[in-house]
Structure formats: C-alpha cells, structure tokens
Amino acid sequence: GLVTGTWPVAGASSARDQAALGILAKVLELRVRAEVREKLGLAYAPSARFEPFDGFPDFALLQARIDCAPNDAGRVAPVIAAIGATLAARGVTNGEFIGARGILRGQLREAFRKSDFLAGLLMRAQERPEEAAEAVALHGGLVGQISLAEVNAWAARILPADKCRTAAVVPKAFVGVLEGSR
C-alpha cells in the first residue's frame, strides 16, 4: 500500500520560500519516520518533499509518502495528518531545524557534483530563465541563510489539520479494511 499526506502551498514563488519549504519537508519526513518506527513499531521508510510546479507559479505541494503493508495503511494515514497538525501548532524545534537544514545542504552539495542534476538545471533554465539565478543562490548557500522563524511561519500557514489531504492506495482486497477504520 501507499499512504500520502498532501498539503497545497500557495505563494511560494521565491527561491528563499522554496528553500524554507524544503527544510520543512525534511523535518516532516524525519518526524514521520520517528513516529511510524518508534510508536507504531513499523520499519517503513517515509519520504517528504516540497514540489513546485513550473507551469503554475502560485501552486505547489508539500507531500509526505510512505510505502506500507496494505493492512497498516489505516494506522499510518492518520499519523501523517497528526504530525502536520502538530508542526503547525507547535513548530519545528531548533535541533530539528539544524539537522534538517544540514541534511538538505549536504544533499544540495552532492547534487551540484552530478552532471545529470546540472543538465536538468540548464534545461529548466531555458524554459524559466529565473531558474538559473535560483540555482546560483542555492549553490551560494541560500539554504544556510534560512531561519527557524521562516520555517515555522510556513508550517503554521500550510500544515494545519484542515489543509491536509491523506490518501491510502491499497490493493482492492484491502479496501474493506480501510473503510472500517475511519
């Protein structure tokens, strides 16, 4: 099965906003991993990402995903929404922020060493010339300039429970299992 938690994001058009949302996505991923592994005792590997859409400058998604056994999907889906709501209400801790920002900075350093990443940047820059300036800012350390306050402002804005949409994709044989767990 697959469980996703999705939060729409409007107005994240600057590279700085997108970097802050990238950090928030990493915190969300780390919290989902901890919750699913420590509290539910499951060994799944979640992912979370912020995804802007070039064709729609005022629309993007923050999404957490976790592959899981179909019979665990009903337990995992509410966890994702609850973690988002907690982040919205209480914010990201300083330790989480430093860790997530460090992970993202490391991933960016590694990506800039790969020719396929650089080729992708150049292709996107042909369609969106401002992409080149954003890439230069990221390479120049933009992620390191993001503050905890910026990340927490985005969390409060987009992660409240009423903005989350969760979905579980399971084989047809398990549909009745999820319907009974609502």
Side-chain angles (χ1 to χ4, degrees):
L2 170 71
V3 175
T4 64
T6 303
W7 296 265
V9 180
S13 56
S14 76
R16 188 173 189 92
D17 292 338
Q18 292 181 17
L21 286 159
I23 294 169
L24 181 58
K26 188 53 69 178
V27 170
L28 181 63
E29 178 181 309
L30 294 170
R31 282 210 186 175
V32 170
R33 177 174 286 118
E35 187 80 15
V36 166
R37 288 185 175 181
E38 293 170 16
K39 298 215 173 136
L40 296 180
L42 305 173
Y44 304 123
S47 65
R49 64 187 174 148
F50 168 70
E51 186 169 353
F53 296 96
D54 290 339
F56 304 96
D58 273 346
F59 181 75
L61 293 174
L62 182 65
Q63 192 169 56
R65 292 180 164 195
I66 188 163
D67 291 323
C68 61
N71 56 346
D72 288 335
R75 293 190 310 158
V76 172
V79 169
I80 291 174
I83 290 169
T86 300
L87 280 168
R90 297 185 191 147
V92 174
T93 68
N94 191 52
E96 288 173 321
F97 170 73
I98 291 169
R101 187 174 63 176
I103 291 169
L104 192 57
R105 288 168 76 181
Q107 289 173 337
L108 281 168
R109 272 193 306 276
E110 183 64 30
F112 274 103
R113 291 185 189 126
K114 296 182 178 181
S115 58
D116 60 334
F117 175 77
L118 295 172
L121 282 176
L122 290 174
M123 288 189 330
R124 286 192 309 275
Q126 289 177 335
E127 296 173 10
R128 264 186 74 233
E130 61 273 15
E131 184 96 14
E134 292 170 2
V136 169
L138 285 172
H139 189 266
L142 176 63
V143 172
Q145 299 169 17
I146 303 301
S147 71
L148 175 60
E150 288 173 276
V151 173
N152 280 333
W154 277 108
R157 180 175 161 190
I158 65 170
L159 293 178
D162 65 334
K163 295 185 180 185
C164 181
R165 301 296 178 259
T166 58
V169 180
V170 297
K172 189 173 183 176
F174 289 89
V175 170
V177 170
L178 287 178
E179 288 174 355
S181 65
R182 287 187 194 179

